[in-house]
Amino acid sequence: MQTKTGVRVMSVNLLLEKEDAPVIWRGPVISGMINQFWQEVIWGDVDYMFVDMPPGTGDVPLTVFQSLPVDGIVIVTTPQDLVTLIVKKAYNMAKMMNIPVLGLVENMSYFECPDCGKRHSIFGESKLDEVAKELGVPVLARLPIDPKTAALVDRGAVELANTDMFNDFVAKL
């Protein structure tokens, strides 16, 4: 599939007969699908390819790390304390697999009040700087909770969201 702005997308969800059907697959089937997406989808010439993976250190990241020519990973986190542990596990897995960690991105970092401009830490105070320092990786972005971006995601047009933020992020890579 290609979005209106030319971003190529592939997802298991695009192959399901019913969009609300669960994907109940064990590791070997998931691994096969990842390899099939890599080998059989006609990607063409791309500058960047982002592979969105579930959190943690299970079959999907292991297959991606072992099967695709990964130049590096960006670990996405949120401000909750428990997520810090998952970030450290993902970082340690990447290091064990000799995959460079390019940096951290914090999603749902804050909400900026449209009336007063004050930032609110809805999911708790961020520990991103401390985690980044401990792991020795840069903070690439702090993404706010933004109703406009959420609406774009719902419309399937997320690439239209705050392009300055995206360009800043890519420049840091």
Side-chain angles (χ1 to χ4, degrees):
M1 177 188 133
Q2 191 163 323
T3 67
K4 291 177 185 175
T5 62
V7 175
R8 293 178 216 131
V9 177
M10 186 53 174
S11 171
V12 171
N13 288 328
L14 297 173
L15 303 175
L16 300 175
E17 286 185 34
K18 292 177 61 183
E19 68 178 23
D20 63 349
V23 180
I24 305 172
W25 295 347
R26 295 201 183 273
V29 177
I30 293 169
S31 296
M33 180 60 67
I34 291 167
N35 285 317
Q36 190 173 6
F37 280 1
W38 174 247
Q39 295 170 2
E40 297 181 24
V41 172
I42 301 170
W43 293 108
D45 188 27
V46 296
D47 294 326
Y48 298 95
M49 179 177 287
F50 293 93
V51 179
D52 186 16
M53 298 187 291
T57 56
D59 288 326
V60 173
L62 183 60
T63 299
V64 169
F65 291 170
Q66 290 178 332
S67 304
L68 276 59
V70 178
D71 291 328
I73 66 165
V74 173
I75 299 175
V76 179
T77 184
T78 58
Q80 294 94 336
D81 286 338
L82 183 57
V83 178
T84 300
L85 178 61
I86 297 167
V87 166
K88 290 178 181 179
K89 286 183 179 202
Y91 172 86
N92 289 329
M93 179 182 188
K95 286 300 183 193
M96 288 176 67
M97 306 286 299
N98 296 315
I99 304 293
V101 177
L102 304 176
L104 305 177
V105 171
E106 186 172 70
N107 199 11
M108 299 185 287
S109 190
Y110 58 89
F111 172 75
E112 189 169 316
C113 176
D115 296 327
C116 69
K118 183 176 178 186
R119 289 185 177 187
H120 301 276
S121 300
I122 294 172
F123 293 106
E125 291 302 318
S126 174
K127 296 179 184 52
L128 187 62
D129 290 325
E130 296 91 48
V131 173
K133 184 177 180 181
E134 179 182 336
L135 300 178
V137 297
V139 172
L140 299 174
R142 287 179 169 78
L143 304 177
I145 297 170
D146 180 11
K148 292 177 186 172
T149 301
L152 288 170
V153 169
D154 288 342
R155 286 192 355 231
V158 69
E159 69 270 18
L160 301 176
N162 194 339
T163 55
D164 291 338
M165 186 183 306
F166 178 76
N167 290 334
D168 291 345
F169 166 74
V170 170
K172 290 181 183 179
L173 294 178

